[in-house]
Amino acid sequence: LETKQLYLYFKAPSLNLKATAGINWITDDFDWIVIGNDAAGFQFDYANAGTKAKLGAYRFWDPKLTAVTDSVDFFMLSGSQQLSPAAKIGVAGYYLKDGSGADGNGILSQGVSAVNGFANKSINAATGSKALIPLGTKYDLNSYFAGIFGDVAIGPVKLEAWGVYNFGKVD
């Protein structure tokens, strides 16, 4: 059983503002390089005369509701401007905070544990099928993403381009 989407939607037409709260599908502005998944949280969208802005806060993981330091949270802020009917440019910034590894059983080092039963997210072809953060390792992750994106239509062809830089620290 998988919950796909369960959310409340509010729209204030006079303010050109839309708010969504609950479990909803979220994506980044870079063709899903950073995120493309369902997540619990809220998002505000603004659109007016070619200007768009998005602000969101989501919780991916929360093993104990009594503490916020053990959660995995994702924050997004982006904006774009339509320069002409055929061209758009925008910027975006995201922050991923993973404090769930403080007890040695975080979302990045889960393994097949009795606590959550999920596979280790870092075991894949890019890591040579080895865990980047082994089960039981205590860690704290702060990851940032900053980028620019845009598109231009030239006749029947639409060209899209983006660049994103990821930096941060894991202890």
Side-chain angles (χ1 to χ4, degrees):
L1 177 65
E2 181 178 0
T3 302
K4 290 304 286 176
Q5 297 178 355
L6 178 64
Y7 59 90
L8 297 173
Y9 172 88
F10 305 93
K11 189 170 184 179
S14 60
L15 299 175
N16 299 313
L17 185 65
K18 176 177 82 171
T20 308
I23 301 171
N24 198 12
W25 175 254
I26 63 166
T27 61
D28 60 51
D29 295 287
F30 311 107
D31 294 323
W32 302 9
I33 293 297
V34 178
I35 184 69
N37 206 345
D38 298 318
F42 68 87
Q43 180 172 311
F44 295 101
D45 293 283
Y46 172 82
N48 187 25
T51 301
K52 292 184 178 180
K54 175 172 53 175
L55 170 68
Y58 299 92
R59 175 141 302 159
F60 294 146
W61 179 256
D62 194 353
K64 293 180 225 135
L65 294 175
T66 57
V68 295
T69 57
D70 65 349
S71 304
V72 179
D73 296 311
F74 184 73
F75 302 92
M76 60 179 10
L77 176 63
S78 69
S80 67
Q81 179 66 48
Q82 197 73 36
L83 301 175
S84 72
K88 173 183 79 173
I89 191 162
V91 295
Y94 310 122
Y95 171 57
L96 175 66
K97 170 65 175 166
D98 183 355
S100 69
D103 62 359
N105 194 29
I107 197 163
L108 293 179
S109 65
Q110 327 180 30
V112 181
S113 77
V115 175
N116 52 51
F118 290 110
N120 188 318
K121 303 293 189 257
S122 68
I123 296 178
N124 57 53
T127 66
S129 297
K130 294 181 182 171
L132 292 177
I133 301 175
L135 181 62
T137 303
K138 294 183 179 189
Y139 71 90
D140 184 51
L141 170 73
N142 290 287
S143 184
Y144 305 88
F145 303 85
I148 186 168
F149 59 93
D151 60 58
V152 62
I154 303 170
V157 177
K158 182 178 177 182
L159 301 174
E160 295 183 24
W162 51 261
V164 62
Y165 180 66
N166 176 224
F167 57 99
K169 185 176 180 183
V170 63
D171 292 321

